[in-house]
Amino acid sequence: MAIKLTIKKWSAWLDLSQSVSGVILAVFLWTHLVLVSSILLGSDAMNWVARTMELSFLSDDGHGYPWVVTAIAMGIAALALVHVLVALQKLPMSLRQQRALRQQMQVINHSDTRLWRWQAITGVVILLLLPVHLWLIGSAPETIGPQGSADRIWNQGVWMVYLPLLLTVELHAAIGIYRVALKWGAARELNSRNRLRKIKTIVSVLFVTVGIASLLAFLPHAS
């Protein structure tokens, strides 16, 4: 009995850790997209955001501390690692488990199960692409700005990383928040899962549109 209780507590702790870390990462993602979208308001707006993120208002020369961005990147990397390690406990890792899941999905047409599968697929893509993004930002935080970011995105071809990362991370985050809302009862407050799915779709489309528009807004600064 004691062993069963310990297993249940451990399982509950892992479940809570995955939900909390996922929500924090999703909120950071959306905040990050909003901050990057300052380029849509012009160079001065993005320069102000970049310098503020570097705590320029606390430095004597007004240049700020670029290492703050590196520290944020490292913190996000650590939190993402925790999220991945916990999530791996629930993924079908063996061929037998994957075959069983495929057979189940062929028999039972369940939309939430399909969403979970998409979340798992996008999670694998993010696992490959996110470290590249965090390394590029964390290793050269002083280059963040209209010209530096534009050079990295377009002249160095990093858009080939950023675009698929944008699409997968936004889909992953939106599905994650949707599933967390279901798990903790928010679906009852919204009265239906269909309404919650519509909200998820609207949020995804909104942030993907903002993200793509921001990438394109850097193009004039790349020349």
Side-chain angles (χ1 to χ4, degrees), residues 66-74 131-144 152 162:
W67 60 263
V68 173
V69 176
T70 301
I72 293 174
M74 294 174 63
V132 177
H133 174 54
L134 293 177
W135 170 258
L136 291 173
I137 297 300
S139 62
E142 68 281 353
T143 64
I144 297 177
R152 178 170 55 254
Y162 284 2

Side-chain angles (χ1 to χ4, degrees), residues 84-139:
V84 168
L85 292 177
V86 175
L88 285 175
Q89 307 300 316
K90 298 182 179 180
L91 291 180
M93 304 300 293
S94 67
L95 290 176
R96 173 184 289 183
Q97 291 174 330
Q98 294 178 16
R99 192 180 300 112
L101 175 62
R102 191 180 305 111
Q103 292 174 349
Q104 179 183 2
M105 293 187 67
Q106 291 175 350
V107 175
I108 303 175
N109 185 21
H110 192 257
S111 59
D112 281 358
T113 302
R114 291 198 302 271
L115 285 178
W116 174 83
R117 189 179 188 184
W118 274 112
Q119 191 180 23
I121 293 172
T122 54
V124 173
V125 177
I126 294 168
L127 184 61
L128 298 174
L129 298 181
L130 183 60
V132 177
H133 174 54
L134 293 177
W135 170 258
L136 291 173
I137 297 300
S139 62

Side-chain angles (χ1 to χ4, degrees), residues 206-219:
L206 174 63
F207 280 106
V208 167
T209 301
V210 169
I212 293 176
S214 300
L215 287 176
L216 294 175
F218 281 109
L219 194 54

Side-chain angles (χ1 to χ4, degrees), residues 7 20 22 32 67 114 137 190 203:
I7 293 176
V20 172
H32 174 61
W67 60 263
R114 291 198 302 271
I137 297 300
L190 293 174
V203 170

